[in-house]
Amino acid sequence: MNILVINCGSSSLKYQLLNMNDESVLASGLVERIGIEGSQLKHEKTGMDKEVIKVAMKDHKEALGHVLDALTHEKYGAIKDLKEVDAVGHRVVHAGEKYSSSVKITDDVIKALEECIELAPLHNPPNLMGIEAMNELLPNVPSVGVFDTAFHQTMPASSYIYALPYELYEKHGVRRYGFHGTSHRYVSQQAAEMLGKDIKDLKIITCHLGNGASVAAIKDGKVLHTSMGFTPLEGLIMGTRCGDIDPAIVTYVMNKEGLDLKAMDNLLNKKSGVLGISGISSDFRDIEGAAADGNERAKLALEAFDNKVTRYIGGYAALMGGVDVIVFTAGLGENSIGNRKSICSSLGFMGVEIDDERNNVRGKDTIVSTDGSKVKVLVVPTNEELMIARDTLELVK
Ligand code: ADP
């Protein structure tokens, strides 16, 4: 069975075609600049060189049309006929409180996701455009929605409620939702498998450290708390996002700097994080380079980042009554040897011990703690596409 996984952004989309008999990737690609001059499709059939197809694409439907053409192209296609696509899995950012797991897409599901647009105004509209375009292009192929928020829906009310007037939750849905759920779910399951344990017997802390970053506390296979909140702005220090700050700073800075709502929103989301502290870059590689060259603000950004991750891990261990496994994933978590080392060094008091030789690894499933370490530390490259394809298979087979 072949499953096409689609992840639509506002002006870009990513796709992967997987053969679920062996979970192999047949082809993958990225469309950029949808609706903007200079749009192009980068398509890669597994084992072949990348094809760059430059063609005007005015909307997501046109873009997906070109994706389907590429998938069936006689030279670089991965299938002969679109009949070989058995199901489509869509990544959707926000499903509010409505769905706690993936679902087959129906008109009712589309309506429910439209109701969540207010909660994710940048993400849900392109996700929905992708769903509607695929329904038109492949009307007889079943499709499934896999939601970033779903895995976190098991959080108890004490974890998701904010200390604001309760009516704001009732009237406007102001609560913690959490994001990166598909990634946290994939890496926690993979970690349990690598350790040969049932996930229900483990207390796991998953650290998704990329440009966007979040931590989750997972006990009995269920999320107890996660660091992102009502939006993906809360929690850790990120590439350009501030994470947790004193909320009083918002009105204070707006007043002092004469910023309106939009400018303040932009400052918190785009100009803060490690970029804001260092003044150098949002990319951790640049910051690690500058810190190694002695740049004090780059060093400060890295220390502040590690400080926050460490506090979350410590707090989550307390919340779960201990921790058996810490998992590092996403761009920084999978690749930054120094960052993992520095975070884990602060956790020695809880029985975390990194093996330097094992930790000298990038982007590969690996146990990086010592044999004697009380808490196992794992690097698990995330694979949201595979998780989406697995859910899709489960729901359509
Ligand atoms: P997102 O999907 O949120 O855009 P990724 O998970 O792709 O982010 O992570 C991107 C970030 O990972 C980059 O900004 C970079 O800071 C970091 N990163 C990638 N490779 C390395 C590396 N070798 N060393 C340190 N940081 C890295």
Side-chain angles (χ1 to χ4, degrees):
M1 179 176 265
N2 294 332
I3 290 178
L4 178 59
V5 175
I6 304 280
N7 179 357
C8 280
S10 55
S11 67
S12 68
L13 75 84
K14 287 190 222 156
Y15 62 93
Q16 247 185 40
L17 182 69
L18 294 102
N19 173 353
M20 293 309 283
N21 297 334
D22 58 1
E23 297 191 332
S24 61
V25 177
L26 301 175
S28 59
L30 166 71
V31 185
E32 291 166 305
R33 302 179 68 82
I34 299 169
I36 308 170
E37 206 179 324
S39 46
Q40 62 173 18
L41 162 59
K42 288 184 193 150
H43 172 86
E44 189 176 353
K45 179 186 176 180
T46 304
M48 274 179 78
D49 286 343
K50 221 175 244 172
E51 285 290 325
V52 181
I53 303 148
K54 292 187 193 285
V55 56
M57 294 179 249
K58 73 169 190 301
D59 55 25
H60 287 72
K61 190 172 167 197
E62 270 194 25
L64 285 165
H66 287 290
V67 168
L68 297 181
D69 287 347
L71 288 171
T72 50
H73 193 273
E74 60 176 18
K75 191 168 124 227
Y76 48 78
I79 47 176
K80 288 209 167 59
D81 195 285
L82 288 177
K83 287 199 191 92
E84 293 171 57
V85 176
D86 298 295
V88 180
H90 290 274
R91 180 206 179 197
V92 179
V93 168
H94 219 306
E97 291 185 315
K98 181 90 185 173
Y99 300 112
S100 56
S101 60
S102 305
V103 290
K104 249 174 119 165
I105 291 173
T106 60
D107 290 345
D108 284 346
V109 172
I110 293 181
K111 218 167 122 220
L113 298 179
E114 281 168 353
E115 282 162 15
C116 292
I117 285 179
E118 247 186 349
L119 296 172
L122 299 179
H123 294 100
N124 271 29
N127 297 161
L128 278 158
M129 276 191 263
I131 291 173
E132 279 162 9
M134 283 313 288
N135 283 351
E136 285 174 39
L137 293 163
L138 298 177
N140 299 316
V141 177
S143 60
V144 166
V146 180
F147 314 112
D148 276 20
T149 49
F151 187 45
H152 300 303
Q153 278 294 307
T154 52
M155 271 189 289
S158 54
S159 287
Y160 71 66
I161 200 72
Y162 288 115
L164 293 166
Y166 196 77
E167 302 81 71
L168 292 178
Y169 166 55
E170 294 176 309
K171 270 180 17 199
H172 305 301
V174 176
R175 53 158 283 180
R176 176 183 311 283
Y177 291 99
F179 300 89
H180 292 143
T182 311
S183 175
H184 288 292
R185 183 158 59 103
Y186 174 79
V187 300
S188 57
Q189 287 178 2
Q190 186 70 6
E193 200 158 297
M194 283 164 68
L195 295 169
K197 293 259 170 78
D198 187 333
I199 195 165
K200 296 213 167 84
D201 299 330
L202 292 171
K203 295 170 186 152
I204 307 177
I205 297 174
T206 46
C207 306
H208 178 112
L209 310 179
N211 214 348
S214 65
V215 192
I218 301 166
K219 191 179 178 185
D220 307 326
K222 290 188 191 147
V223 175
L224 208 57
H225 201 284
T226 188
S227 59
M228 281 180 169
F230 178 62
T231 73
L233 183 58
E234 192 183 346
L236 301 179
I237 295 174
M238 309 184 209
T240 61
R241 288 175 236 163
C242 61
D244 306 327
I245 58 168
D246 180 341
I249 294 169
V250 175
T251 44
Y252 183 83
V253 170
M254 285 173 81
N255 185 33
K256 284 279 178 196
E257 297 275 317
L259 303 180
D260 62 11
L261 287 175
K262 206 167 159 211
M264 191 63 206
D265 188 61
N266 192 45
L267 183 147
L268 298 170
N269 277 289
K270 305 263 172 71
K271 297 184 177 170
S272 301
V274 288
L275 168 69
I277 300 175
S278 69
I280 294 171
S281 168
S282 62
D283 193 301
F284 282 87
R285 283 164 290 200
D286 299 339
I287 297 174
E288 285 180 355
D293 291 341
N295 184 299
E296 290 302 325
R297 271 172 58 188
K299 279 192 215 164
L300 180 62
L302 292 177
E303 282 167 13
F305 178 86
D306 290 354
N307 171 316
K308 185 77 83 67
V309 179
T310 307
R311 274 191 283 146
Y312 266 99
I313 294 176
Y316 281 177
L319 195 65
M320 292 194 290
V323 53
D324 303 308
V325 189
I326 298 172
V327 185
F328 287 95
T329 193
L332 182 71
E334 290 166 27
N335 293 301
S336 178
I337 295 158
N339 185 261
R340 288 194 299 261
K341 166 87 180 163
S342 131
I343 291 168
C344 290
S345 310
S346 318
L347 299 170
F349 77 97
M350 322 196 300
V352 176
E353 197 180 32
I354 281 270
D355 179 316
D356 286 334
E357 214 167 291
R358 292 179 186 168
N359 187 43
N360 192 12
V361 69
R362 295 182 202 275
K364 215 170 100 198
D365 283 349
T366 315
I367 299 171
V368 297
S369 46
T370 61
D371 291 339
S373 181
K374 201 168 135 253
V375 180
K376 300 287 167 219
V377 182
L378 274 65
V379 173
V380 180
T382 193
N383 195 339
E384 287 156 288
E385 291 79 9
L386 179 57
M387 197 79 251
I388 294 171
R390 282 181 183 167
D391 281 9
T392 305
L393 176 69
E394 198 54 40
L395 285 162
V396 303
K397 78 179 178 198

